[in-house]
Amino acid sequence: MVFDTMSILAYVLGLVLVFVICRIFIRPVAILGKILLNSICGGLVLAGLNYLGGFIGLSIAVSPISSLIAGFLGIPGIVLVIILQYIL
């Protein structure tokens, strides 16, 4: 079987193209997965805070927005949600 330079170049170009396309599409999916995981963790922390805060009279509504804020910002996000709840 004889390989000419054009067919080898086409294979290499195809592999590079597949690699570039995979890099373009994998990064947004990974970022979206991280956002989803953080918002789930934020919702769980808010639910736990509601459970434990019930003993001292502290409750926060667990909504998608408050979960995302708590997920993105972590502990400062939870403090922000608490402050916003009492201000608004």
Side-chain angles (χ1 to χ4, degrees):
M1 198 169 190
V2 177
F3 294 107
D4 60 344
T5 56
M6 290 305 287
S7 63
I8 293 174
L9 185 62
Y11 285 124
V12 169
L13 184 63
L15 287 174
V16 168
L17 188 63
V18 167
F19 177 74
V20 168
I21 288 173
C22 287
R23 293 284 292 189
I24 288 172
F25 288 118
I26 294 289
R27 181 163 291 176
V29 171
I31 292 171
L32 184 63
K34 185 174 181 180
I35 290 171
L36 182 66
L37 180 66
N38 283 346
S39 65
I40 289 172
C41 289
L44 290 174
V45 167
L46 287 175
L49 185 67
N50 277 338
Y51 178 73
L52 295 175
F55 298 116
I56 60 172
L58 177 70
S59 66
I60 302 169
V62 180
S63 67
I65 301 298
S66 63
S67 295
L68 281 173
I69 291 172
F72 278 138
L73 300 176
I75 303 274
I78 293 171
V79 172
L80 176 69
V81 169
I82 292 171
I83 291 171
L84 285 176
Q85 179 185 2
Y86 285 109
I87 290 175
L88 300 175

